[in-house]
Amino acid sequence: MGKTLFEKIWAPHVVRELPDGSCLLYIDRHLVHEVTSPQAFAGLRQAGRKIRQPALTFSTMDHNVPTTEDRMEIKDPISKAQVDALQQNCDDFGVKLFGLGDDRQGIVHVIGPELGITLPGLTIVCGDSHTSTHGAFGALAFGIGTSEVEHVLVTQTLIQKTPHTYRVEFTGRPGPHISSKDMVLKMIGIMGTAGGSGHVLEYGGEAVRSLSMEGRMTMCNMSIEAGARAGMIAPDDTTFDYITGRRRPYAPTGEALDKALAHWRSLPSDLDAQFDQTLTIDTNRLPPQVTWGTNPGMVVDVDQPVPAPDNARGYSPSDVKSALDYMGLSPGVKLTDVPLDVVFIGSCTNSRIEDLRQAAAILDGRKKADHVELLVVPGSQQVRLQAEAEGLDRIFKAAGGQWRYAGCSMCLGMNPDQLSPQQRCASTSNRNFEGRQGKGGRTHLVSPEMAAAAAVAGKIVDIRKWLEA
Amino acid sequence: MTPFTVHTGIVATLDKANVDTDAIIPKQFLKSIKRTGYGPSAFFDWRYLPDGTINEDFELNHPRFKGRSILVTRNNFGCGSSREHAVWALVQDGYRVVIAPWKEMEGNRLPGFADIFKNNTTKNGMLAIELSEADVNDVFDMVAAHTGLTATADLQAQRIIFHAPSPRSFDFEIYAGAKEQLLNGLDNIDLTLQYEADISRFEAQYDPLDPNS
Ligand code: SF4
């Protein structure tokens, strides 16, 4: 029987099987950020341990950092203490840090790929659930807790049960202005936020093969929102072109690259490979997706009304009612009728150069609505520099938007970028949980183009019709 | 780590599915570089009113749940962010056991807990028990009917008994490795370091860019 992409990566990484049937899995890349690492480093100090493979460990500051001009001066003393702790820990333990002020700094899931740290066939972990992003390269990448961060620092391994496999096939060709964000939101709507639990998703099909690396990263990024352990896409020429098309300091070159390419080309799932579960989604005529509730599975086609409490598949009436109350919505309302206060374009889901290009194409020559605040936050300083070289920053500013420095920003509002209570936001991020973008804030997840159009219209629009009008 | 063998305590209910880790411990508390001090902030946005006083309407604030250490909730508890702070907050707020139902959906069984959250519980001496939806419904009814209802979770026996006037007991499943770790309060790192020689041998022959060579 043939093997899946997942199986082809898993097997060579098993150091040994353990008596209880789990595996000791070798980890190729360990990404570290300031929020989930301090207690792990403290554990190392307490036990007098060292990092086993500092050269396989890479670190950045993203969650707490301000994104304004004066960002080098972190005014919140507690945020500053956390950022300073990471600096100290990286110095003490010999870990490479892309810190604030470094032009390679950015959201951990944006800089990994752009620096060539993320490569096909690797196992990649980080104390962050959106580590699933890196699966877009045909890597096995997943989020871990802080105790596991410490475990990887000390042993370069993790104890893992073998997950199940789940193939999601996106057939057809989505129409213009329909992105991988819409595809993956549709999927989460179908599967629910626990539908992928215990599984590694592999995305395939014509609609996935034709996605850029940025589009694939958006898709894999959201795997965790379906509860999946990881999401992955088989590497192909799009992947290899991304890795070799420009200088990526940690990617192999020359002979090492040739050898790697031969291996990478052997990774895609065999035609007769078996998956534990499968799902097929037709993307022909897929409408733009918008979330209406307080988790990413509470999502509708943009032209459909918000459901009634007794009529939302997979959710109890009381959960729907409490979500609608929190969101300030009534059953039957169309999201295209509800005014917005804020539009956020950013996060590890949608802050890469292609996302910004798509948003800029909509905003070019247009202005945001007066009552809307528009925040554009590039995922990394590299993205920021490239966007500026392409003149995208001028488009955002001319449209009335704020052009920021790299960081997680309003995706979770650990820094000063937060929604106020009851502010309504169209956001390109990944979580519409209660309070996620600021206590009492109301989040509608959308694609970058939908977010840009919403900023102009002052409310969510069906981009397909809006552009025609 | 504190071993988990047998625990008896008051049962409290939280009637909500898909409780995410942002709700269990909001972001502002993630700035701490310590492992302690999270207890009073568990469920912060639900637990307190904007002026900082107790929100009497929040289920877990009900006086009948005073002194509770067993939490019963709905499906997919702990979804979202990987933050271990969520488990630290629950443990430091006095919870030793959390119970959630698996859910049958179109022929698939969706687990009661999100994967990363469940991993994190084991590493912090907290027992996460999955029961069927029907059984958890019964537990909700029992708790509603009997103020101060207690239960005893026996990990070795893989059984939890609710001490209602007519007691109910439920058997539960747990992965062998997690059970052993909890029973003995084992530290995973110590465990793995026993295999240090295997790791070294592996590293000596291993090329991540061509692992099959
Ligand atoms: S952008 Fe948001 S989801 Fe991504 S790593 Fe930062 S906080 Fe997490």
Side-chain angles (χ1 to χ4, degrees):
Chain A
M1 195 176 72
K3 290 202 180 91
T4 63
L5 165 63
F6 162 77
E7 288 158 346
K8 291 183 192 184
I9 298 175
W10 181 269
H13 285 89
V14 174
V15 173
R16 63 168 292 159
E17 281 187 21
L18 301 179
D20 70 349
S22 59
C23 295
L24 194 61
L25 195 73
Y26 198 74
I27 302 303
D28 294 318
R29 301 283 186 273
H30 187 190
L31 310 175
V32 172
H33 66 66
E34 79 275 20
V35 178
T36 54
S37 65
Q39 297 84 356
F41 282 108
L44 253 63
R45 276 202 189 86
Q46 211 171 19
R49 289 170 172 150
K50 289 193 311 209
I51 298 185
R52 184 176 181 91
Q53 295 286 359
L56 302 181
T57 313
F58 300 87
S59 178
T60 189
M61 300 163 172
D62 48 10
H63 284 64
N64 273 283
V65 299
T67 56
T68 41
E69 199 71 49
D70 57 352
R71 69 195 197 288
M72 301 304 290
E73 289 296 320
I74 303 182
K75 293 184 190 77
D76 174 351
I78 317 177
S79 286
K80 181 163 182 346
Q82 194 167 57
V83 163
D84 289 347
L86 181 63
Q87 178 77 56
Q88 187 69 49
N89 287 330
C90 289
D91 289 350
D92 289 358
F93 289 92
V95 173
K96 180 75 204 161
L97 170 67
F98 306 106
L100 203 51
D102 189 315
D103 66 11
R104 294 161 298 179
Q105 174 266 339
I107 305 174
V108 63
H109 311 308
V110 177
I111 70 167
E114 79 190 2
L115 296 175
I117 296 167
T118 304
L119 297 170
L122 301 184
T123 51
I124 303 173
V125 298
C126 174
D128 195 288
S129 60
H130 290 102
T131 309
S132 60
T133 311
H134 308 264
F137 288 78
L140 176 62
F142 54 93
I144 55 179
T146 297
S147 295
E148 290 175 309
V149 169
E150 186 176 341
H151 191 279
V152 177
L153 289 174
V154 177
T155 69
Q156 204 58 37
T157 64
L158 273 175
I159 298 172
Q160 290 285 302
K161 280 183 287 180
T162 315
H164 300 289
T165 55
Y166 198 141
R167 168 89 175 176
V168 183
E169 187 88 6
F170 288 94
T171 58
R173 278 291 186 129
H177 311 294
I178 303 300
S179 72
S180 64
K181 183 68 163 286
D182 301 299
M183 289 160 61
V184 74
L185 280 171
K186 184 76 187 177
M187 178 197 82
I188 300 164
I190 295 169
M191 280 169 62
T193 52
S197 297
H199 289 75
V200 170
L201 309 181
E202 183 186 331
Y203 304 109
E206 189 191 353
V208 170
R209 293 264 67 89
S210 56
L211 290 174
S212 65
M213 285 319 291
E214 285 85 353
R216 294 178 187 188
M217 285 189 254
T218 301
M219 181 170 273
C220 288
N221 173 277
M222 296 286 287
S223 305
I224 180 70
E225 307 312 333
R229 211 60 193 104
M232 55 206 321
I233 294 173
D236 59 12
D237 286 336
T238 304
T239 323
F240 310 143
D241 290 348
Y242 177 97
I243 294 167
T244 58
R246 56 185 286 180
R247 203 182 102 73
R248 306 202 180 273
Y250 293 92
T253 52
E255 240 176 80
L257 175 64
D258 293 340
K259 203 168 67 167
L261 278 168
H263 169 54
W264 295 345
R265 286 187 208 283
S266 74
L267 287 173
S269 293
D270 299 326
L271 287 177
D272 58 343
Q274 299 279 322
F275 293 84
D276 297 312
Q277 283 203 59
T278 57
L279 173 69
T280 301
I281 296 172
D282 180 11
T283 64
N284 291 315
R285 286 179 296 280
L286 174 70
Q289 302 292 303
V290 189
T291 61
W292 55 266
T294 50
N295 74 50
M298 294 176 159
V299 63
V300 281
D301 298 347
V302 68
D303 49 12
Q304 293 302 306
V306 167
D310 55 0
N311 188 25
R313 187 178 149 274
Y315 299 99
S316 74
S318 68
D319 284 343
V320 174
K321 192 178 170 310
S322 104
L324 289 176
D325 286 349
Y326 180 86
M327 293 298 291
L329 296 170
S330 332
V333 145
K334 284 215 175 145
L335 292 169
T336 45
D337 292 332
V338 189
L340 294 168
D341 304 299
V342 179
V343 169
F344 172 63
I345 299 176
S347 88
C348 58
T349 311
N350 281 127
S351 64
R352 298 182 181 81
I353 191 67
E354 187 188 83
D355 302 312
L356 299 189
R357 282 184 195 135
Q358 286 173 356
I362 302 290
L363 289 166
D364 197 4
R366 296 191 170 98
K367 275 217 170 297
K368 71 168 182 71
D370 284 341
H371 64 275
V372 167
E373 189 187 344
L374 170 62
L375 208 61
V376 186
V377 187
S380 70
Q381 286 303 104
Q382 294 283 302
V383 170
R384 184 181 150 98
L385 292 171
Q386 191 176 345
E388 289 181 348
E390 296 179 17
L392 305 184
D393 59 320
R394 291 198 294 278
I395 296 175
F396 295 131
K397 285 189 252 181
Q402 302 174 42
W403 174 241
R404 296 293 188 87
Y405 290 83
C408 295
S409 180
M410 202 184 270
C411 174
L412 93 165
M414 264 186 94
N415 77 347
D417 308 334
Q418 295 185 23
L419 294 181
S420 313
Q422 268 130 58
Q423 271 196 323
R424 190 178 297 282
C425 175
S427 176
T428 66
S429 56
N430 42 54
R431 286 186 176 140
N432 49 340
F433 296 156
E434 283 185 29
R436 171 77 179 184
Q437 295 192 284
K439 187 168 173 159
R442 296 162 169 169
T443 303
H444 297 283
L445 302 177
V446 290
S447 73
E449 284 179 276
M450 283 284 285
V456 175
K459 59 194 182 79
I460 285 164
V461 293
D462 183 340
I463 188 153
R464 300 167 303 178
K465 296 193 188 120
W466 185 77
L467 283 173
E468 276 168 24
Chain B
M1 197 184 80
T2 331
F4 188 107
T5 48
V6 178
H7 174 80
T8 299
I10 294 174
V11 186
T13 50
L14 176 60
D15 191 4
K16 246 180 178 323
N18 302 303
V19 172
D20 57 76
T21 53
D22 275 81
I24 299 173
I25 184 87
K27 62 194 136 235
Q28 63 269 34
F29 304 105
L30 271 48
K31 296 179 185 184
S32 166
I33 57 173
K34 300 209 174 70
R35 226 185 163 102
T36 51
Y38 298 97
S41 311
F43 302 113
F44 188 87
D45 286 356
W46 294 337
R47 185 172 183 170
Y48 304 103
L49 293 170
D51 67 0
T53 56
I54 295 287
N55 175 10
E56 308 282 352
D57 290 340
F58 178 49
E59 238 173 313
L60 292 175
N61 282 340
H62 201 280
R64 57 189 301 203
F65 294 148
K66 201 166 163 7
R68 80 284 170 282
S69 58
I70 299 176
L71 178 65
V72 187
T73 182
R74 301 293 186 184
N75 180 256
N76 199 28
F77 188 76
C79 61
S81 159
S82 61
R83 56 187 74 168
E84 196 163 322
H85 312 64
V87 175
W88 298 336
L90 291 173
V91 170
Q92 290 161 22
D93 200 26
Y95 296 101
R96 294 298 315 277
V97 180
V98 51
I99 302 171
W102 69 74
K103 183 164 149 181
E104 303 289 344
M105 202 170 158
E106 284 144 28
N108 299 318
R109 183 188 276 196
L110 307 182
F113 300 95
D115 289 338
I116 306 177
F117 176 86
K118 193 165 185 188
N119 272 340
N120 289 340
T121 56
T122 314
K123 303 206 158 41
N124 290 278
M126 182 179 210
L127 177 62
I129 298 178
E130 277 180 84
L131 299 175
S132 74
E133 231 174 341
D135 289 347
V136 169
N137 285 341
D138 286 354
V139 173
F140 267 87
D141 290 345
M142 264 188 285
V143 174
H146 306 289
T147 300
L149 181 78
T150 59
T152 300
D154 182 340
L155 176 54
Q156 184 59 52
Q158 296 182 209
R159 178 166 303 152
I160 181 158
I161 302 169
F162 291 86
H163 307 291
S166 30
R168 290 282 309 271
S169 104
F170 304 96
D171 292 341
F172 60 86
E173 284 171 26
I174 183 168
Y175 195 67
K179 180 176 179 177
E180 193 184 310
Q181 200 189 345
L182 281 166
L183 280 175
N184 300 308
L186 293 179
D187 176 81
N188 255 335
I189 297 179
D190 289 337
L191 216 90
T192 299
L193 286 175
Q194 297 170 13
Y195 302 114
E196 210 278 328
D198 295 275
I199 301 172
S200 293
R201 217 174 304 129
F202 180 90
E203 283 173 333
Q205 52 78 40
Y206 172 68
D207 175 359
L209 296 182
D210 189 16
N212 301 316
S213 63

